Amino acid sequence: MMAKLLKNREILLVAAILVLVALIALRFPAFVAPANLARVYNDTSILIILALGQMAVILTRCIDLSMAANLALCGMVAAMLNAAFPGLPVPLIILVVMALGGILGMINGALVWKLDIPPIVVTLGTLTIYRGLIFLLTDGKWINAHEMSDAFKALPRFELAGAPVLSWLSLLTIALMFMIMSRTPLGRAFYAVGGNPHAAVYTGIDVGRTRFFAYCLSGTLAGLSGYLWVSRYAVAYVDIAAGFELDIIAACVIGGISIAGGIGSVAGAILGALFLGVIKNALPVINISPFAQMAISGTVIIIAVAVNARAERRKGRVILRKAEAV
């Protein structure tokens, strides 16, 4: 029983997070106060939303390096719409940028599907294009808090049943992703395509179309995150969330989503994001510089990839042993 628990990635992550929080609490007891832990979750909400979108893409043996650039472009469009039309309802702005994010995701998906270009090349290219478009739209100018309406800035912070709307939106995204991944043919297709694309074809699954929908999903969530980012921090500029794609991929890899595709879970992506969220909230408290934080994030990614690769090799050996026994 204990051996099975130790092999469960989600349980190990929960244990790692609890140990990490306990160690931090030894030096800063206020860190484990319920109100502070709720703030840590709220701070991590955007990363959780993005990690869930990236998870869908990685499961299909692809990757989306353009998520942070998609977020930045959609966030800038949201801020520009609000600055130009202050009376425009905020929910309408959110729908517009989610649609825009979905379209940007569709571009990635179409290039991977129809032109059969490697996903890393496609999304590296669109990352640069989306960042460039922000500069062309704004001529490098910022949109600051005083140019945004109060309603635009207030929504993520507005408290509903004791929690900010930002936290509730992340919980809603989690619930929707659980439904998609466990209750719909599309979710099962993500796993099938990543597990064995050739076998998936024989079961009637269109591999290219499935990857296309994964990119649409990740793009839509990036669009939502774009509004949440600029409204929460009350500023929009060209380099919004620069380098944040590293954190998104790190959350997925730490959560056990295999870069080789076909392996991973919604719970794993959430726990991976929370693990990073705890680290990022704790490191400034103990006076570690932002540059060291980046190095730590990169180190964690390498370790997580190595652990995942080793676990997958062990599974392969078990399968071979069983085959030989038969």
Side-chain angles (χ1 to χ4, degrees), residues 49-58 60 62-68 70-71 74 97-98 100-109 123 130 173 177 180 186 190 210-226 248 252:
I49 293 170
L50 292 167
L52 290 171
Q54 185 73 256
M55 175 200 71
V57 174
I58 292 176
T60 66
C62 294
I63 197 164
D64 189 353
L65 298 178
S66 69
M67 280 196 87
N70 187 334
L71 177 158
C74 291
V97 294
M98 286 180 71
L100 174 60
I103 291 168
L104 298 178
M106 287 171 65
I107 292 170
N108 287 334
T123 55
Y130 298 161
T173 305
M177 288 301 294
I180 290 171
L186 180 61
F190 289 157
T210 301
R211 288 172 173 166
F212 174 80
F213 285 129
Y215 277 109
C216 291
L217 181 58
S218 71
T220 302
L221 293 178
L224 170 63
S225 300
I248 301 168
C252 290

Side-chain angles (χ1 to χ4, degrees), residues 52-267:
L52 290 171
Q54 185 73 256
M55 175 200 71
V57 174
I58 292 176
L59 282 174
T60 66
R61 293 195 181 185
C62 294
I63 197 164
D64 189 353
L65 298 178
S66 69
M67 280 196 87
N70 187 334
L71 177 158
L73 179 54
C74 291
M76 180 58 78
V77 169
M80 291 175 71
L81 282 172
N82 180 249
F85 309 101
L88 200 63
V90 175
L92 180 59
I93 292 175
I94 294 173
L95 288 175
V96 168
V97 294
M98 286 180 71
L100 174 60
I103 291 168
L104 298 178
M106 287 171 65
I107 292 170
N108 287 334
L111 291 172
V112 170
W113 178 18
K114 295 298 184 182
L115 299 184
D116 201 26
I117 304 173
I120 194 168
V121 175
V122 168
T123 55
L124 190 59
T126 54
L127 179 159
T128 309
I129 292 168
Y130 298 161
R131 290 282 179 190
L133 285 174
I134 302 171
F135 189 86
L136 290 176
L137 284 171
T138 63
D139 199 26
K141 295 176 183 176
W142 291 33
I143 297 178
N144 295 301
H146 68 276
E147 299 173 82
M148 301 176 186
S149 70
D150 291 337
F152 182 86
K153 293 179 288 186
L155 182 61
R157 299 179 182 84
F158 180 78
E159 290 206 354
L160 188 65
V165 167
L166 175 56
S167 293
W168 285 114
L169 285 173
S170 71
L171 290 171
L172 178 61
T173 305
I174 290 168
L176 287 173
M177 288 301 294
F178 264 119
M179 289 294 294
I180 290 171
M181 301 308 296
S182 62
R183 304 286 183 182
T184 67
L186 180 61
R188 291 189 288 272
F190 289 157
Y191 284 103
V193 166
N196 191 326
H198 301 295
V201 171
Y202 287 113
T203 62
I205 296 173
D206 188 321
V207 172
R209 190 186 298 275
T210 301
R211 288 172 173 166
F212 174 80
F213 285 129
Y215 277 109
C216 291
L217 181 58
S218 71
T220 302
L221 293 178
L224 170 63
S225 300
Y227 161 74
L228 294 172
W229 188 291
V230 299
S231 59
R232 183 167 191 245
Y233 298 111
V235 66
Y237 54 97
V238 173
D239 290 328
I240 296 172
F244 201 62
E245 53 274 346
L246 175 65
D247 291 340
I248 301 168
I249 295 168
C252 290
V253 173
I254 292 166
I257 288 83
S258 172
I259 294 296
I263 299 172
S265 69
V266 171

